[in-house]
Amino acid sequence: MDVKVTQRIALSSFFFLSGLTFATWASRIPTIKSFFQLNEAELGSLLIAMPISSLIGVPISGWLVAKFDSRKPLLVSFLLFNFSLMFIGFATSVMSLLIGISMFAFFMRILNISINTQSIVLQKSYQKPIVGSFHGLWSLGGLFGVLFSTLMVKFHVSMGNHLAGIAIFTSVLIVISYFYTLKNDRSTSGNKIILGKPDPFILTLGLIIFLAAICEGGMFDWSGVYFKEVIKEEVFTLGYLSFMACMALSRFFSDKLILHFGAKKTYVFSAVTIKIGILTAVLFPTFWTALLGFCLVGFGTAAIFPMTFALAGTSKKYSPGMAISIISTYSIFGMFVGPPLIGYLAHAFGLQKAFLVFVIAGFLLIPISRLFFKHQTQ
């Protein structure tokens, strides 16, 4: 088999398994909320630990992918990521839960930058776009994670056993896949952050990722809670499941969509679809309309991250690893603002009204993406 095909398969398994692991955590957030008897504001405060820890991980991950081949921090961070998931599963106090969530977010940041660096470098070996398919596999892994979590919730399997089982399963598979990943991808230039006037190329892409992170991160953390407390659905993972299913399906077609319509039109389509989806779920809070709304949000958010990371990889100022590391900082701020803000607004005004934050973020995607392409034509 061609080496680049083997590398693509190995990297695909990393994307799939990381999506599976993350969705396992996210789908159990309502369980955590109930177990520790947290209100929306308290849960929002707890979730702040994730973006703070991720922010700490950004310079470290940037340094790691600059100093080593990205496959090394990829493997180590994934193993520690899985250990953190297991730690969360057996947490017995809010403090131990906070430690577990912080570790989980920290190692996830290193993992994400390493895995996306691999994808951008491997993309250069192909004539057609392939980055979207990797993110599609991440979402597909997330879909399987939610499906499995739904079964665990339905059959009342303890969260500790559930999370530990997933952590052990994925750890075995990533160790096997590691030996076939891309080697010798360390860049020799563009590995240092250049201070001074912000680069319009990186700044506008960063703002796009920031808004996308508010929507995507908010859906990860709050879709299950919305279905449990607003829709009153006992199997609360169904909302998250519809979001992940539509995101996964769309991401497998996102490369072709971008190739056919171009990134500029795809950003507009994404923004409009997010707005329609959220408004459907908020204005008509019934089971089927909310399911449809969350599905549309999945379609809308699907292409934004892979498309923006691929554009960042074409930076003339930074190496792919460093460009993704900088862009990821904006993503972290989006995660910092989005989920906690939803929690505070939900505590004050109700979860339905709080979800309108996603509509505003979706709306702003249009003028900022247009600004990005305007700079490219100058």
Side-chain angles (χ1 to χ4, degrees), residues 70-149:
S70 60
R71 67 198 298 259
K72 294 178 181 178
L74 175 59
L75 175 65
V76 175
S77 62
F78 208 143
L79 291 173
L80 293 171
F81 181 56
N82 284 339
F83 170 77
S84 304
L85 180 71
M86 193 182 304
F87 190 95
I88 290 171
F90 292 105
T92 55
S93 66
V94 174
M95 181 55 66
S96 60
L97 177 63
L98 179 63
I99 293 170
I101 291 173
S102 299
M103 292 193 302
F104 187 77
F106 176 80
F107 295 118
M108 181 172 66
R109 180 52 47 198
I110 299 174
L111 164 62
N112 284 346
I113 291 177
S114 301
I115 202 172
N116 280 292
T117 299
Q118 281 251 326
S119 72
I120 296 300
V121 175
L122 188 58
Q123 170 68 80
K124 296 176 181 179
S125 302
Y126 286 81
Q127 297 299 317
K128 61 180 181 178
I130 62 170
V131 174
S133 66
F134 287 129
H135 287 259
L137 285 163
W138 187 92
S139 296
L140 184 62
L143 178 59
F144 273 84
V146 180
L147 282 169
F148 189 70
S149 295

Side-chain angles (χ1 to χ4, degrees), residues 326-365:
I326 298 170
I327 293 295
S328 294
T329 307
Y330 291 86
S331 169
I332 293 166
F333 279 113
M335 297 288 185
F336 186 92
V337 170
L341 179 61
I342 294 297
Y344 298 138
L345 291 175
H347 188 64
F349 305 107
L351 196 53
Q352 279 177 266
K353 292 179 181 178
F355 262 48
L356 294 174
V357 167
F358 302 140
V359 177
I360 298 170
F363 174 80
L364 290 173
L365 277 169

Side-chain angles (χ1 to χ4, degrees), residues 36 43 65 74 78 179 181-182 187 206 231 250 303 326 344 350 378:
F36 289 98
L43 179 60
V65 296
L74 175 59
F78 208 143
F179 295 100
T181 51
L182 184 69
S187 297
I231 308 302
S250 183
I326 298 170
Y344 298 138
Q378 291 177 350

Side-chain angles (χ1 to χ4, degrees), residues 38-294:
L38 305 171
N39 61 37
E40 285 83 358
E42 289 169 337
L43 179 60
S45 297
L46 187 67
L47 293 174
I48 289 178
M50 293 195 75
I52 292 175
S53 300
S54 289
L55 192 61
I56 296 171
V58 167
I60 296 173
S61 55
W63 175 79
L64 287 171
V65 296
K67 187 171 180 62
F68 304 100
D69 292 342
S70 60
R71 67 198 298 259
K72 294 178 181 178
L74 175 59
L75 175 65
V76 175
S77 62
F78 208 143
L79 291 173
L80 293 171
F81 181 56
N82 284 339
F83 170 77
S84 304
L85 180 71
M86 193 182 304
F87 190 95
I88 290 171
F90 292 105
T92 55
S93 66
V94 174
M95 181 55 66
S96 60
L97 177 63
L98 179 63
I99 293 170
I101 291 173
S102 299
M103 292 193 302
F104 187 77
F106 176 80
F107 295 118
M108 181 172 66
R109 180 52 47 198
I110 299 174
L111 164 62
N112 284 346
I113 291 177
S114 301
I115 202 172
N116 280 292
T117 299
Q118 281 251 326
S119 72
I120 296 300
V121 175
L122 188 58
Q123 170 68 80
K124 296 176 181 179
S125 302
Y126 286 81
Q127 297 299 317
K128 61 180 181 178
I130 62 170
V131 174
S133 66
F134 287 129
H135 287 259
L137 285 163
W138 187 92
S139 296
L140 184 62
L143 178 59
F144 273 84
V146 180
L147 282 169
F148 189 70
S149 295
T150 301
L151 291 175
M152 297 297 98
V153 170
K154 187 174 180 62
F155 292 105
H156 306 289
V157 176
S158 72
M159 187 172 69
N161 290 337
H162 173 201
L163 270 56
I166 292 295
I168 294 169
F169 171 73
T170 54
S171 294
V172 172
L173 293 181
I174 62 168
V175 169
I176 296 171
S177 300
Y178 167 77
F179 295 100
Y180 303 96
T181 51
L182 184 69
K183 303 178 179 68
N184 302 318
D185 66 334
R186 183 167 64 92
S187 297
T188 56
S189 62
N191 289 322
K192 294 183 178 180
I193 296 177
I194 301 172
L195 300 177
K197 184 180 178 180
D199 180 9
F201 181 90
I202 294 293
L203 177 61
T204 47
L205 286 180
L207 291 174
I208 290 170
I209 282 288
F210 169 78
L211 294 169
I214 289 178
C215 297
E216 196 168 314
M219 290 298 292
F220 288 148
D221 291 354
W222 288 100
S223 57
V225 179
Y226 191 90
F227 254 66
K228 184 176 182 180
E229 300 187 1
V230 177
I231 308 302
K232 308 297 183 184
E233 176 60 38
E234 184 179 351
V235 185
F236 52 78
T237 54
L238 290 174
Y240 186 30
L241 179 62
S242 68
F243 168 72
M244 289 298 295
C246 292
M247 177 185 282
L249 178 64
S250 183
R251 275 182 168 167
F252 283 111
F253 295 100
S254 64
D255 285 330
K256 292 183 179 179
L257 185 71
I258 296 165
L259 196 61
H260 184 74
F261 292 105
K264 187 175 182 180
K265 291 182 179 178
T266 304
Y267 276 125
V268 175
F269 168 79
S270 298
V272 171
T273 308
I274 289 170
K275 290 189 289 184
I276 293 173
I278 291 296
L279 287 173
T280 300
V282 169
L283 297 177
F284 308 100
T286 63
F287 177 80
W288 290 109
T289 51
L291 208 65
L292 172 63
F294 283 12

